Amino acid sequence: MWYFTWILGLLLACSLGIINVLRLEAQETWDREHIPLDPLTQLMTKDTMLGRLQEKVENSKRNGFPFSILFISLKGFKARNNNLPDHEMDAILRGVADCFKEDIRAGVDIAARMGDQDFLIAMPGSPLKKAEQIAARVKNEISERVKAPGLVVEAAVGVAEYSAPTEDFAATTNEVGELIRVATAKSGL
């Protein structure tokens, strides 16, 4: 008789697990459909990304997994290319966004347009080494694939990892800002 109780408990646990998975999938679908996106690149907006980064830092603190970001900036893009028509500059920015959309993990990594020529990719669970490899690949893809007549598209990429407060990350109240500052500094801008 005890095994019927055990089986019933097992079925209840499985049902609760399935319900939780369905709830998480529904939340992810809702997020994808209701998150404000940059109209040009179809990436997250800066404000949305800053909120999500705070969540990722808190998750990293709680679970102890590393969390890396890539800061991507087009070097002197506006200054060198002011005489290009707006539609060509828009096509270039969409091309840049497409370059790293292919390198990020769907449903895990998040990307945002942070400014006119700045982008940010958040990579939860990725250690610094892996993020550096992806950064090098993204930088190469941008220089190889994003082309326009008489145009130079050069990206500066900085990588930073948040795993716990260290020398690079003083224990501040604005850990997200500090994380972005470190990645920007490493990009050489």
Side-chain angles (χ1 to χ4, degrees):
M1 194 62 154
W2 63 269
Y3 47 87
F4 288 117
T5 306
W6 182 81
I7 290 173
L8 190 59
L10 183 62
L11 288 174
L12 180 62
C14 289
S15 299
L16 291 175
I18 290 170
I19 290 171
N20 193 35
V21 167
L22 292 175
R23 183 187 61 78
L24 289 173
E25 286 178 2
Q27 180 66 40
E28 287 176 7
T29 301
W30 189 90
D31 284 349
R32 274 194 304 271
E33 293 173 358
H34 294 89
I35 290 177
L37 299 176
D38 175 63
L40 180 63
T41 60
Q42 294 301 302
L43 298 174
M44 278 186 194
T45 61
K46 178 180 180 177
D47 292 336
T48 305
M49 177 58 112
L50 292 176
R52 295 293 294 272
L53 282 176
Q54 189 61 47
E55 291 173 17
K56 301 301 181 190
V57 166
E58 294 302 320
N59 287 344
S60 182
K61 284 181 190 177
R62 201 170 33 259
N63 63 28
F65 292 124
F67 162 62
S68 296
I69 65 167
L70 278 64
F71 178 81
I72 303 160
S73 184
L74 304 179
K75 290 183 181 178
F77 179 71
K78 278 192 115 148
R80 281 191 266 167
N81 305 305
N82 268 343
N83 46 352
L84 281 178
D86 286 343
H87 69 276
E88 285 187 28
M89 289 182 73
D90 291 350
I92 291 165
L93 292 171
R94 278 192 298 272
V96 169
D98 290 344
C99 282
F100 55 79
K101 281 180 183 175
E102 296 170 6
D103 287 318
I104 63 176
R105 299 167 294 177
V108 178
D109 300 336
I110 52 177
R113 183 174 178 200
M114 301 297 282
D116 289 338
Q117 60 194 24
D118 300 329
F119 301 90
L120 191 76
I121 301 173
M123 305 173 70
S126 292
L128 187 62
K129 269 260 195 262
K130 181 178 179 186
E132 288 172 340
Q133 292 169 347
I134 291 173
R137 196 165 53 228
V138 165
K139 187 174 181 177
N140 288 337
E141 284 183 24
I142 290 171
S143 65
E144 291 173 5
R145 291 180 42 195
V146 181
K147 304 270 187 219
L151 174 69
V152 176
V153 179
E154 188 178 350
V157 181
V159 181
E161 177 187 53
Y162 180 88
S163 54
T166 63
E167 300 167 5
D168 283 345
F169 299 103
T172 66
T173 57
N174 188 6
E175 292 160 316
V176 169
E178 186 72 10
L179 185 64
I180 293 172
R181 185 196 64 74
V182 169
T184 305
K186 288 183 178 180
S187 74
L189 295 176

